[in-house]
Amino acid sequence: MNKTIPLTGYEMFSLQVLYVGASAGFLYPSLLINSTTGPLWAPIVVWALLAFSSCFLYGRMLLKLRGKELVPIIISSLGKPAAIMLLLPILLFVIAAITVMLRSFTELVTMTLLPTTPLLFLNGMIFASSALAAAGLMPIIRAAKVIFLLGAGTIISLLIIGTSGSHWELGGPWFQMSADFFTDGDFYGGSFVWMGFTYIAMIAPFTIKQAKLYQKGNMIALVLSVLMVGCFIYIPVMTFGREMSSQLTFPFVSKMDSIYQYWIVLENLTAIFMSATMLCLLLVIALKLKALMSIMTGIWPKVSINWGLAVVTVIIYIAAELIPEWRDLEKWVFNSYFLRFYAMFVFPGITLAGLHFKQRKAGGA
Amino acid sequence: MTLLHRTQRLTAIGAAVLCLLAAGGCWDSKDVDNRLLVGAIGIESTKDGRLNAWFRMPITSSAIGNEKDTFFSLIQHGETVMDAINKLQYKLPKALDVSSTRTVMLSKDIANSGLLPYLEFAVRDRSVPLDAVIAIVDGNMRSIFVRSNPIGELTGIYTKLYFEPYAGGIPRKNKAMLWEVYSKLLNPLQANLIPVLREDKRSLFTQIGNAYFVEDKIAGMLTMDETLIYEMITQRLVHSEIVLMSRSDLKIVHKKTRIKTKLVDGKPMIKVSIWVSVALTDKSHQEKNVTEDTIKAELNEQLQKLTKSMLQKTQSSGSDIVGFGNWYRGRLRPETYTSWPELYRKADIDVQYHVRLRNTGLEFLK
């Protein structure tokens, strides 16, 4: 397997957009709608700014890798004990993130399309992602390029179709500012949407040129992500109003249900949206598993990638099965935001500072 | 063959077998031959505080023994609609599938006592499609469900076709879909306007007007002509509509609406400008002084009269069917939204029509 194949800006752009496609359409809109009574764009803008700053921080950190992968550099620079301390929360976070992502999607499938199909079967979709992750980085990238055109393309088309039957006046208030979302758990619970680039940083080696491409590709993707997130939230709100949208578990999915256009040949747009989301999700889980294995094999080089992946996959599968109720899932989403903040700011901040001092010391010596 | 290759081959065979297992079918599959697809549901309250649910199901051609019956109707008593659906299953050899329901009809009693408890099941469980049409039935709904449709369309579908703009729907009929009704029930800034049907001896049913609501209870009824004004203000008038006048008959072919709102000393000031483009379809031969100006003036007068009566009815009951309140989302605090019906009562609403006689048809108006 060629470990030094460089990622292009387009590939990183595709991965980030797929991440938003996989995560922003189902759980996120209800979290954001319920986080404020003021304009909905305000929390979106705050999160977008945080995502841009985190992406910038990651970009600066990757500039220091000089052709190597992130985890080995951290270990060689900070020493193994410190590196493990730094990476363990990320490890825990990624495992939890995959579990929640998997279970929330299969729960969505149960609620909307297949009410009697056992979760035991639906959760099995992780094995497909695991197989993709086991195949290596380049199969993930190649699959990402295809799914980007297919999955993200479908989602963007559905977003455009979704604008039918929506009214600006229902989206208000537009200007009556309120900062109440800062004190609302839902606002922090929604942070998971804004961190696709953190996984991308862990899966491949980065030269200075690639680190610059990472920043460029992800920044452009974040601009598109903001537009997509805005649509995922405002389309149901401008159709159903704030009141009904805030009562729906999956407002955008219900919006897909409500579309009725004579010229649309396909009747069940919800199923199409779910299929497109599933394609994105399969890829994103593979990306996360790949990031997870990069961390694990970085810390414990003797771990076999395939066996490690198999064990982690089974653990996640069982964990997703063991979540008893939807409320438990929501609680985890709310309560794990500190891990996401850690992954977005603390981890790259400490790593950047560590690498900076180490390289400065080496330069001075 | 190395051990690695052998392992890979075994893995591939294992994966292929797993795929075959998955292809065997899914847990939720039910053949269309084993389902009774519900076309229309009717819900009426009963004296014991429960409900009767009517179901009208088309019979698929493969299942028809003699060609006389194209539909099958059943009524079921129950605590809730879901309870009735469940109990109905006791009588049926096939699975009752309400996911294809085109229309949900509610009795006027239900509209008087409150719609919300009767519609929640459809949204929460995603059992009935969100784009199903909602209508109120004034009087007995039995004949609507048990009589054959004389026009002969697919049973159940005709109730939706009746409202669809691409079929028999005209703006005055005011198609109201389940998600629209449900969202307005939850939105304190807008009230519902739902079509009211009554059984008809020849054509199963006919529309007698549109009921406006305060919260989830019926507050009054608009005539079909008054409904036209609602359609124009809300820009729902997508197709042409005929207006009959003393000097001429006109076809409204295009319109544009602009709404400007202000809040002056706690009083909503609303200015609506509607540009109406019309075409002449017929002119009176008894009236001699029929000119373009007289036609426009008469149309303007007629529209103003209908607007006045429509606003008088809805304002007096605090039922903002147009949803002017949504324009005030930024001017009122969210916790005061519930006081909008009171504000709407005292709102100053000015509606101006700008009539353009686009053409006089294929004949000059002399």
Side-chain angles (χ1 to χ4, degrees):
Chain A
M1 198 185 309
N2 190 353
K3 284 197 167 188
T4 54
I5 291 172
L7 293 182
T8 64
Y10 172 69
E11 287 161 354
M12 290 184 269
F13 167 85
S14 311
L15 286 170
Q16 167 63 33
V17 173
L18 284 172
Y19 184 87
V20 174
S23 58
F26 49 107
L27 199 57
Y28 187 62
S30 83
L31 288 175
L32 196 120
I33 292 164
N34 284 303
S35 71
T36 182
T37 53
L40 292 168
W41 56 262
I44 300 175
V45 167
V46 171
W47 271 119
L49 291 175
L50 288 171
F52 277 114
S53 7
S54 173
C55 184
F56 178 73
L57 206 57
Y58 266 88
R60 302 295 298 174
M61 182 179 74
L62 296 183
L63 278 172
K64 306 265 178 202
L65 299 190
R66 293 174 186 174
K68 290 183 181 159
E69 283 200 43
L70 181 61
V71 180
I73 283 277
I74 293 175
I75 293 170
S76 65
S77 303
L78 307 179
K80 203 159 187 176
I84 291 176
M85 290 279 284
L86 193 67
L87 288 164
L88 263 184
I90 300 283
L91 206 64
L92 174 70
F93 156 69
V94 179
I95 291 176
I98 301 172
T99 312
V100 170
M101 197 173 214
L102 177 68
R103 177 59 191 266
S104 54
F105 182 73
T106 52
E107 201 72 60
L108 165 66
V109 174
T110 306
M111 284 188 211
T112 52
L113 294 176
L114 306 170
T116 58
T117 304
L119 285 172
L120 201 73
F121 179 78
L122 293 174
N123 283 337
M125 66 182 274
I126 193 175
F127 295 111
S129 297
S130 184
L132 184 57
L137 179 61
M138 288 325 289
I140 294 179
I141 299 301
R142 281 195 290 269
K145 285 199 272 191
V146 175
I147 293 176
F148 174 70
L149 295 176
L150 206 69
T154 307
I155 289 175
I156 291 171
S157 310
L158 289 174
L159 287 173
I160 295 167
I161 293 169
T163 54
S164 64
S166 53
H167 304 276
W168 284 105
E169 64 274 13
L170 284 167
W174 292 100
F175 305 110
Q176 201 179 52
M177 294 306 290
S178 168
D180 56 352
F181 53 85
F182 284 117
T183 57
D184 195 288
D186 288 352
F187 171 72
Y188 300 99
S191 49
F192 63 89
V193 167
W194 301 97
M195 48 193 312
F197 52 86
T198 60
Y199 301 101
I200 301 167
M202 291 174 203
I203 56 167
F206 284 89
T207 59
I208 291 178
K209 187 187 166 197
Q210 280 178 275
K212 284 180 181 165
L213 284 176
Y214 169 91
Q215 206 147 317
K216 195 178 163 191
N218 279 300
M219 290 287 188
I220 297 170
L222 276 173
V223 173
L224 182 60
S225 305
V226 174
L227 291 174
M228 283 171 73
V229 167
C231 288
F232 278 130
I233 287 155
Y234 270 109
I235 285 174
V237 166
M238 293 199 302
T239 306
F240 304 132
R242 287 282 280 267
E243 294 76 14
M244 180 172 164
S245 302
S246 67
Q247 292 203 13
L248 295 170
T249 315
F250 306 112
F252 190 77
V253 176
S254 296
K255 167 68 197 188
M256 288 290 107
D257 269 338
S258 74
I259 295 174
Y260 184 78
Q261 295 286 346
Y262 188 54
W263 55 271
I264 298 177
V265 182
L266 305 158
E267 196 171 302
N268 197 342
L269 289 182
T270 308
I272 294 169
F273 172 66
M274 301 277 281
S275 309
T277 307
M278 191 180 71
L279 281 177
C280 299
L281 201 84
L282 282 171
L283 196 279
V284 168
I285 291 178
L287 171 73
K288 287 182 173 182
L289 284 169
K290 177 71 189 153
L292 190 71
M293 290 319 295
S294 297
I295 299 171
M296 283 177 71
T297 51
I299 298 174
W300 300 288
K302 285 183 182 171
V303 171
S304 146
I305 292 182
N306 287 347
W307 282 107
L309 202 54
V311 171
V312 167
T313 304
V314 171
I315 290 173
I316 293 170
Y317 177 77
I318 293 170
E321 277 298 315
L322 290 179
I323 298 169
E325 293 178 10
W326 177 255
R327 283 281 156 218
D328 298 312
L329 204 73
E330 285 185 332
K331 268 185 214 158
W332 168 258
V333 171
F334 295 147
N335 298 332
S336 62
Y337 62 84
F338 63 93
L339 274 177
R340 289 185 224 122
F341 267 101
Y342 177 85
M344 283 177 84
F345 297 105
V346 182
F347 168 71
I350 294 175
T351 310
L352 183 61
L355 293 178
H356 179 73
F357 286 120
K358 182 81 181 175
Q359 284 172 2
R360 208 167 135 186
K361 205 172 158 186
Chain B
M1 187 184 285
T2 63
L3 183 66
L4 182 69
H5 282 122
R6 197 174 295 162
T7 318
Q8 281 177 345
R9 177 173 279 193
L10 283 173
T11 314
I13 292 169
V17 171
L18 277 175
C19 288
L20 275 176
L21 280 176
C26 72
W27 283 260
D28 295 280
S29 75
K30 268 180 189 143
D31 289 343
V32 72
D33 283 349
N34 297 329
R35 292 193 232 178
L36 274 172
L37 303 168
V38 176
I41 298 178
I43 309 169
E44 44 187 21
S45 58
T46 53
K47 285 176 185 169
D48 60 358
R50 295 178 171 194
L51 55 84
N52 276 337
W54 284 95
F55 299 88
R56 182 153 164 153
M57 296 150 275
I59 297 175
T60 50
S61 57
S62 64
I64 298 173
N66 56 42
E67 295 293 326
K68 280 180 190 169
D69 298 324
T70 55
F71 72 97
F72 180 54
S73 293
L74 277 174
I75 183 171
Q76 179 62 53
H77 191 58
E79 196 76 44
T80 60
V81 180
M82 290 313 279
D83 180 42
I85 291 172
N86 228 14
K87 283 181 177 152
L88 200 64
Q89 204 67 63
Y90 300 165
K91 305 173 187 172
L92 297 171
K94 294 185 177 184
L96 190 70
D97 185 354
V98 292
S99 67
S100 55
T101 306
R102 309 289 177 176
T103 310
V104 178
M105 295 184 184
L106 301 150
S107 70
K108 207 171 175 189
D109 290 346
I110 284 177
N112 285 329
S113 63
L115 293 179
L116 199 54
Y118 297 92
L119 293 181
E120 196 194 331
F121 82 98
V123 178
R124 187 177 292 278
D125 194 45
R126 198 178 175 264
S127 47
V128 175
L130 287 180
D131 60 4
V133 168
I134 302 286
I136 308 290
V137 177
D138 185 17
N140 193 358
M141 63 171 73
R142 182 184 170 80
S143 68
I144 296 176
F145 278 83
V146 299
R147 270 177 50 204
S148 309
N149 182 17
I151 305 166
E153 301 95 346
L154 277 174
T155 310
I157 312 295
Y158 68 88
T159 44
K160 191 170 170 80
L161 290 180
Y162 178 85
F163 293 102
E164 286 297 350
Y166 64 77
I170 55 168
R172 283 181 175 96
K173 284 185 180 175
N174 173 41
K175 179 185 163 197
M177 287 185 281
L178 172 61
W179 66 264
E180 276 181 289
V181 172
Y182 198 75
S183 71
K184 287 175 191 171
L185 289 176
L186 301 177
N187 182 359
L189 302 172
Q190 188 165 12
N192 267 302
L193 185 72
I194 303 178
V196 181
L197 308 176
R198 184 179 285 164
E199 65 175 312
D200 184 80
K201 283 180 183 166
R202 291 291 298 158
S203 67
L204 276 187
F205 59 79
T206 182
Q207 187 169 349
I208 55 170
N210 284 283
Y212 52 91
F213 282 69
V214 172
E215 293 176 351
D216 65 342
K217 294 182 183 67
I218 200 163
M221 200 143 90
L222 294 188
T223 63
M224 298 297 271
D225 285 344
E226 287 163 348
T227 306
L228 187 63
I229 304 301
Y230 160 81
E231 297 281 322
M232 288 166 92
I233 299 177
T234 53
Q235 305 208 64
R236 292 161 59 107
L237 199 152
V238 284
H239 292 273
S240 64
E241 180 69 284
I242 303 293
V243 180
L244 304 181
M245 299 190 299
S246 64
R247 293 186 177 89
S248 55
D249 301 339
L250 297 172
K251 184 166 68 178
I252 297 177
V253 289
H254 179 71
K255 59 98 206 61
K256 189 178 89 178
T257 303
R258 192 178 66 202
I259 297 174
K260 285 187 174 177
T261 55
K262 280 192 289 188
L263 194 65
V264 181
D265 301 328
K267 185 179 179 183
M269 309 286 278
I270 300 162
K271 188 170 181 193
V272 183
S273 304
I274 301 174
W275 284 265
V276 189
S277 193
V278 294
L280 186 68
T281 57
D282 192 11
K283 99 175 168 63
S284 168
H285 292 276
Q286 285 154 4
E287 293 277 344
K288 285 184 181 168
N289 292 327
V290 181
T291 64
E292 292 189 7
D293 287 339
T294 55
I295 290 172
K296 283 199 252 182
E298 194 187 347
L299 178 63
N300 198 13
E301 191 185 323
Q302 188 159 327
L303 292 175
Q304 283 293 356
K305 199 174 147 192
L306 289 169
T307 306
K308 199 176 165 192
S309 66
M310 187 272 271
L311 288 174
Q312 250 171 13
K313 282 183 182 177
T314 57
Q315 279 193 283
S316 62
S317 54
S319 172
D320 179 10
I321 51 171
V322 172
F324 289 120
N326 290 317
W327 271 267
Y328 289 87
R329 281 181 180 272
R331 299 196 186 100
L332 302 171
R333 298 206 59 76
E335 58 273 18
T336 61
Y337 285 175
T338 46
S339 64
W340 173 251
E342 275 311 308
L343 288 172
Y344 177 66
R345 278 175 203 269
K346 57 182 182 184
D348 192 350
I349 305 172
D350 175 31
V351 183
Q352 295 292 328
Y353 292 93
H354 307 275
V355 179
R356 293 166 182 161
L357 186 61
R358 198 156 113 184
N359 60 54
T360 55
L362 296 174
E363 256 187 292
F364 289 114
L365 184 67
K366 288 175 185 171

